[in-house]
Structures are given as structure tokens and as C-alpha cells.
Amino acid sequence: MEHLKVDKEVDVWNVIHDDLDTENMGKPWKEKSTKGRVLFVFWLVLKVIIVLASLYFFICSLDLLSSAFQLLGGKSAGEVFAKSKILNNPIIGLMIGILVTVLVQSSSTSTSIIVAMVSAGIVELKPAISMVMGANIGTTVTNTIVSLGQSMDRKMFRRAFCWSYSARLF
């Protein structure tokens, strides 16, 4: 734990950094030249376009995933899910969502898969709702597992566990 030792006593709960370097944050808008303003606006517009393009590609990937489920599963897989009394139980759907999220370590991925399966007609909406709720609960399990990785240092563990607990409030 040599890398965690500090010369002076540091309050780990202090989230306000008094020693924040504000000198290198750029010039205010009034002090920028015309070229600086044009470059600033250009980069801002470029960043917005990149975000919108990323959202577009994400939605296209969900459509592609839905088509893949339709091709691979067909209607026979949908009939298995629809006629299964076990999978129509909301508690089982909740547990499936938790398990999938813990396995893939991403509630966004598991929710996207569930949405694609509903779009493909493999899973009906009612059991999918409980699966998505389970995916959101699974996120808190993932956060807790990550915070347990800091259990060797008591101060860091307290801080990490508090942050993982804040996800539960969401």
C-alpha cells in the first residue's frame, strides 16, 4: 500500500478540492480572438455531431440485433418463451435480469438485448418489464462487487462502498 501513503493527512470525505488548478482551463469568451471563438464553436458543433451519430449507430445496432434474433430464433423460440409459465413469473424475470447483468457487467447491454428480443417477438412485454427491472437491480450488485475490490484499505473501501450505494438510490 505504498502508493496510497500521503505526506500530509488528507480528508478522504472532502469532495471540494481547494487546490484545483484553474489557471489552465482556457481563456474566458471575452478574451478569445475571433479565430479562437470560431475554433471553439467548431469543436463544440463537432462534438454534438459525434454524440448524435453515436446515438444513431446505437439505435441501428438495436435494429440489427432485433433482426439477428428473428433470424436465429424464429417464432419457435418466441413460442417457448410465451408459453412458459416459469418465464411469465415476474420474480423469475427479475432474477433473469439480475443474473444477465451480473454476468455481462452492463445493465445497458442486458437491457438492449431484452428490448431487441421484445422487438423480435421472442419475449412478450410483460415478462420483459421485470427483466429490465432486474437488470437495473443487477447494476447495484456489480457496483458492490467493484467496491469490494477496495476492501484492503479501510478509508478507500468506505468511500467506494458509499459511491456504490449511491447507485441504489437511483
Side-chain angles (χ1 to χ4, degrees), residues 10-60:
V10 176
D11 183 14
V12 296
W13 297 102
N14 185 11
V15 293
I16 300 172
H17 299 289
D18 295 331
D19 57 345
L20 182 64
D21 184 20
T22 57
E23 297 289 325
N24 299 324
M25 296 183 93
K27 293 181 182 178
W29 182 260
K30 293 178 183 177
E31 295 177 11
K32 289 186 182 198
S33 65
T34 305
K35 180 181 176 183
R37 290 179 183 180
V38 169
L39 283 174
F40 178 80
V41 170
F42 172 75
W43 286 112
L44 182 68
V45 169
L46 184 65
K47 288 176 187 178
V48 169
I49 289 172
I50 289 172
V51 167
L52 292 176
S54 299
L55 285 173
Y56 174 75
F57 287 127
F58 175 72
I59 291 171
C60 289

Side-chain angles (χ1 to χ4, degrees), residues 93-146:
L94 192 76
M95 296 313 237
I96 289 172
I98 291 172
L99 182 66
V100 169
T101 302
V102 168
L103 289 176
V104 299
Q105 297 288 309
S106 172
S107 64
S108 300
T109 302
S110 57
T111 302
S112 299
I113 291 170
I114 293 167
V115 167
M117 290 174 73
V118 170
S119 174
I122 295 174
V123 178
E124 292 184 12
L125 184 61
K126 186 177 178 183
I129 291 171
S130 58
M131 289 180 195
V132 170
M133 288 174 63
N136 290 328
I137 292 171
T139 301
T140 62
V141 174
T142 303
N143 291 339
T144 304
I145 290 170
V146 169

Side-chain angles (χ1 to χ4, degrees), residues 73-88 121-122:
K75 291 297 178 185
S76 60
E79 291 172 3
V80 170
F81 281 113
K83 292 181 179 177
S84 174
K85 291 184 180 181
I86 294 174
L87 292 177
N88 284 328
I122 295 174

